[in-house]
Amino acid sequence: MRILITSVAKKKEAKKLSKKLVKKGLAACVSSFSVKSVYIWQEKLCDEKEQILFIKTDVKFKKVAKFIRKHHSYENPEILALKPKDVFEKYEKWIKKSTKKGKK
């Protein structure tokens, strides 16, 4: 099990990407929340509102990342993965069951 993190510009895009990931079986659950991001892009300081997505999955990183890149509006999207050290066993089983389709 892993948690992938990505950020998108708008709530509408977060909702759309979340639904696609779950419907394809690439995520068991996607949580999103609003944040304020400060970063440098093309030599310009940016201070923007964004949506962060926590994508809970058991599908290989490369497969989920490829799907995110294909459906993402950013030229260079943030895509990173965290592997939890400990996970509630029943929850982890649910994640694995819910993403079985995405592993094919």
Side-chain angles (χ1 to χ4, degrees), residues 47-65:
D47 185 349
E48 307 285 341
K49 290 181 181 177
E50 290 186 299
Q51 297 291 307
I52 296 291
L53 278 64
F54 277 13
I55 303 158
K56 281 79 84 175
T57 187
D58 197 48
V59 178
K60 292 189 184 290
F61 174 84
K62 286 184 178 184
K63 187 171 185 176
V64 181

Side-chain angles (χ1 to χ4, degrees), residues 66-100:
K66 182 178 180 181
F67 185 88
I68 291 170
R69 284 192 321 271
K70 183 178 177 184
H71 295 91
H72 207 290
S73 64
Y74 289 175
E75 180 183 325
N76 185 24
E78 166 189 23
I79 307 171
L80 57 99
L82 305 172
K83 273 199 141 240
K85 181 181 174 191
D86 297 307
V87 181
F88 177 56
E89 191 177 326
K90 283 178 110 175
Y91 184 78
E92 187 172 23
K93 284 180 182 178
W94 173 76
I95 295 285
K96 288 179 179 187
K97 182 181 177 187
S98 298
T99 56
K100 210 175 213 176

Side-chain angles (χ1 to χ4, degrees), residues 18 21-30 55-57 59 98-99:
S18 298
L21 286 161
V22 172
K23 284 180 182 176
K24 287 279 187 185
L26 296 172
C29 173
V30 181
I55 303 158
K56 281 79 84 175
T57 187
V59 178
S98 298
T99 56

Side-chain angles (χ1 to χ4, degrees), residues 14-58:
K15 191 174 186 177
K16 188 175 178 181
L17 182 55
S18 298
K19 286 184 175 184
K20 284 181 178 184
L21 286 161
V22 172
K23 284 180 182 176
K24 287 279 187 185
L26 296 172
C29 173
V30 181
S31 302
S32 64
F33 52 95
S34 300
V35 297
K36 193 81 162 138
S37 297
V38 177
Y39 56 94
I40 299 287
W41 180 247
Q42 297 177 340
E43 300 181 29
K44 179 182 164 196
L45 180 64
C46 301
D47 185 349
E48 307 285 341
K49 290 181 181 177
E50 290 186 299
Q51 297 291 307
I52 296 291
L53 278 64
F54 277 13
I55 303 158
K56 281 79 84 175
T57 187
D58 197 48

